């Protein structure tokens, strides 16, 4: 098992490539959080989706009339999302994001939790830069006491709320930065406490 590089974990991306078909076909819960997020956006807002997986969320956002740019670091899952959406999905790792003030919103459901701890502030700063002022950004993390792997070999940063807030603060100004907790499962079948972060880009 390789150690994660500062900005991504190759074993985790290899897992998603290997399991892309099964992962993209899995049953997901009701997208309550996504619907609430979309309600706060203007019609046809430009949304960047990071770690889009099989493309289910991008499909919902597109059907609701938003301008969605779907991306994923796994070529296998990007291909699954392309098949679902019927349009190209960029293979892009988080650390490759270079856009500046391009999006009204960034949707990053259950994916930034794979960024190595030491690289999280850098990735968050890229997202901050990619957002327009006042842009909204959601990401969900599995909470814990630091980086580790699950039983499937995937790396997770497992932050405490305090460490997560520090990483966001280091990335730029957010007003507000709301963190809520909830219970939830995952592909490994383990129930954990999640940290749901809704951040608005400040001046
Ligand atoms: N957001 C999707 C969903 O909610 O169904 C997928 C969530 S899945 C737990 C994590 C996703 O993050 C996978 O699609 C994986 O390929 C992607 N991912 C993991 N590491 C990444 C990285 N460094 N850059 C971009 N995507 C990455």
């Amino acid at each position: 098992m390789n150690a994660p590089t500062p900005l991504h974990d190759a074993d985790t991306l290899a897992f998603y490539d290997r399991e892309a078909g099964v992962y993209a076909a899995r049953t997901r819960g009701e997208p309550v959080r996504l619907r609430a997020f979309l309600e706060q956006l203007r019609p046809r807002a430009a949304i960047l989706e990071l770690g889009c997986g099989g493309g289910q969320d991008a499909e919902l956002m597109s059907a609701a009339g938003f301008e969605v740019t779907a991306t994923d670091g796994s070529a296998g899952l990007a291909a699954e999302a392309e098949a679902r959406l019927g349009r190209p999905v960029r293979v892009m790792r988080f650390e490759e994001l270079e856009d500046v003030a391009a999006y009204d919103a960034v949707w990053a459901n259950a994916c930034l939790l794979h960024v190595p701890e030491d690289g999280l502030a850098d990735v968050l700063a890229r997202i901050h830069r990619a957002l327009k002022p006042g842009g909204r950004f959601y990401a969900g993390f599995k909470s814990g006491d630091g980086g580790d792997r699950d039983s499937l070999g995937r790396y997770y940063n497992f932050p405490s709320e305090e460490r997560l807030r520090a990483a966001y603060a280091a990335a730029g100004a957010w007003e507000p930065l709301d963190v809520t907790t909830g219970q939830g499962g995952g592909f490994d079948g383990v129930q954990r406490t999640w940290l749901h972060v809704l951040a608005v880009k400040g001046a």
Side-chain angles (χ1 to χ4, degrees), residues 168-186:
Y168 273 76
W174 307 97
E175 294 171 16
L177 178 68
D178 288 333
V179 182
T180 56
T181 58
Q183 297 301 304

Side-chain angles (χ1 to χ4, degrees), residues 15 18 149-154 187-188:
F15 168 86
R18 218 168 38 240
R149 293 188 187 275
D150 70 1
S151 60
L152 303 174
R154 297 177 297 178
F187 200 54
D188 63 355

Side-chain angles (χ1 to χ4, degrees), residues 7-9 12-13 16 23 26 28 49-53 56-57 72-74 77 92-95 109-111 113-114 154:
L7 293 175
H8 75 271
D9 179 55
T12 300
L13 284 171
Y16 285 110
Y23 193 82
R26 81 195 191 289
R28 302 167 82 237
E49 183 174 13
L50 297 171
C52 72
Q56 291 93 338
D57 286 350
D72 199 281
S74 152
L77 273 170
M92 185 189 83
R93 294 192 309 271
F94 309 128
E95 74 265 26
N109 191 49
C111 59
L113 36 59
H114 293 310
R154 297 177 297 178

